[in-house]
Amino acid sequence: MTTIAIPPGMPQYDDVPRYDVAAVRADFPILDREINGHPLVYLDSANTSHKPRQVLDVLREHYERHNANVSRSVHTLGTEATEAYEGARGKIAAFVNAPSVDEVVFTKNSTEAINLVAYAFSNASLRPDADERFRLGPGDEIVISEMEHHSNIVPWQLLAERTGATLRWFPVTDSGRLDESGLTDLVNERTKIVSLVHMSNILGTVNATERITARVREVGALLLLDCSQSVPHMPIDVVDLDADFIVFTGHKMCGPTGIGVLWGRAELLATMPPVLGGGSMIETVTMGGSTFAAPPARFEAGTPPIAEAVALGAAVDYLSGLGMRAVQWHEKELTAYALDALATVPGLRIFGPDVPVGRGGTISFALGDVHPHDVGQVLDSLGVQVRVGHHCARPVCTRFGVPATTRASFYLYTTMEEIDALVAGLEQVRKVFR
Amino acid sequence: MQLESLYQEIILDHYKHPHGRGLRDAADPADQVGEAHHVNPTCGDEVTIRVATDGDTLHDVSYDGMGCSISQASASVLHELLTGRAASEAFEVHAAFVALMSGRGQVTPDEDVLGDGVAFEGVARYPARVKCALLPWMAFKDAAARAGVGVSPTEVKA
């Protein structure tokens, strides 16, 4: 056998960080399940990921050993719960390289995090003394893109309606990339905020944000990145990204549902008006009015999802243990393999980049004219779980002229064999609908 | 295999060779015409149903749409079952189909009433697909009401 040596000085094969996928799979109890008499092939992690035992154990242990409310108790359990909750905040801050732990605001999910920022704009727009950067009115512009999830569309449509501001959109190219050709016109002196998806949940595209960030800085606007699909799958460094806000959600990154994160630059959070009012977010309350706590508490009214936050901290520990660089490489290999394998299926059309560059392991496709619901149903009968529909990104479907797509999405526990099962399943679909 | 109870030959046949597809103008200009467009927001299936009637008989139930095999086959079956029927009979068929789809597989369909609609018995066992099968039938109900015939015609507002 001949081997080709990679020249010295170039990245060597062994430089790529790796982990043992079989060992990882053993951490996820649900992966042992059978579906309709077949081994579970879970290709819907972009929808929600599975949870390793390490996270489930922490969730259970919190309720069994440390349950109490946070930030208001002097007793031991209250102190333990508060330490665990704030400890999780610290882990998450470190995970995205936030300069300060106080820049991490816990929310219910990404949707709530985006709405929090949108409503802060809304509230600031009603107060003449608010920070000018958050004040919106007729003539001001909000910029999003055609490839957004509905959670990064609807809050801005509603904000535009409330304030009279104009909503503008980056288009998407035929190959599923963000069309930046109109950047200087689209992001201009009237722009107050640009809110973009970092990795598309339907096309899989990972957007290069550098040029946009530079333009946003040039015009003095703010930049929010929806990192719901990127934080779980690749190393994310908020300093490197140079965004003003990022949002992500726990349940897509091995954590529980009900917990999400808004990261914002400290200086911006400090000037943002509160959104939800209630306990824990105040400094002092009188019958004449209230003053508010510093961030992040200002944005966390009421009893927060404590156990969920603590478990998200455990999820971050789990991911860090594997190494996000290794997770990214694992998925890159899967994506390259899947793109090649899917190209062999007759009549299959991929929506989004068809090369494993500038994209993640989320692949949407059409199989001839078979409706995605029917594709998903036949695959389910073989144990293969994919998502079908518009993926909460209808403008993308409209852009590509289809009512819906079938989507396979991978994660750190996905194997090449599972991609083979998908391809074999698609053959079965073709037989049923021939 | 389970899948075959869902995708019965009859359903696939209606899907591949739909009966009476396409929206048509009323043959009799005196007819009342009502139309309804329904969408399934979770999957983007769409169907438009048009009913032409003299108030007693459904002279035509025409349709157009796009979507999965279940929703489109269901529209084809609906057309076949209801076109030319007395309005009162049509609503009996409608009620029987809705009851079948709501039955979680526990309702035995009457072929004399439902014709090819009996093939949807298996669909009732897939909660995620019941909405697909019902989409044309719900649109029909609205379209009929707009044409002046309804389950309780006296309650229908113009």
Side-chain angles (χ1 to χ4, degrees), chain B residues 114-138:
Chain B
L114 285 174
D116 279 0
V118 298
F120 287 80
E121 185 184 359
V123 178
R125 273 182 243 127
Y126 291 82
R129 303 307 292 278
V130 166
K131 264 200 263 180
C132 306
L134 283 177
L135 187 70
W137 295 78
M138 294 301 147

Side-chain angles (χ1 to χ4, degrees), chain A residues 249-266:
Chain A
T249 193
H251 71 94
K252 293 190 201 293
M253 51 191 288
C254 299
T257 55
I259 183 79
V261 173
L262 166 68
W263 169 84
R265 283 201 290 121

Side-chain angles (χ1 to χ4, degrees), chain A residues 193-228:
Chain A
I193 182 154
V194 177
S195 189
L196 290 178
V197 71
H198 191 214
M199 174 177 152
S200 162
N201 76 308
I202 174 164
L203 298 168
T205 314
V206 177
N207 289 316
T209 54
E210 247 170 82
R211 282 186 62 214
I212 295 167
T213 309
R215 180 63 183 159
V216 166
R217 296 286 169 248
E218 204 172 277
V219 301
L222 298 174
L223 177 67
L224 184 152
L225 292 178
D226 173 3
C227 295
S228 306

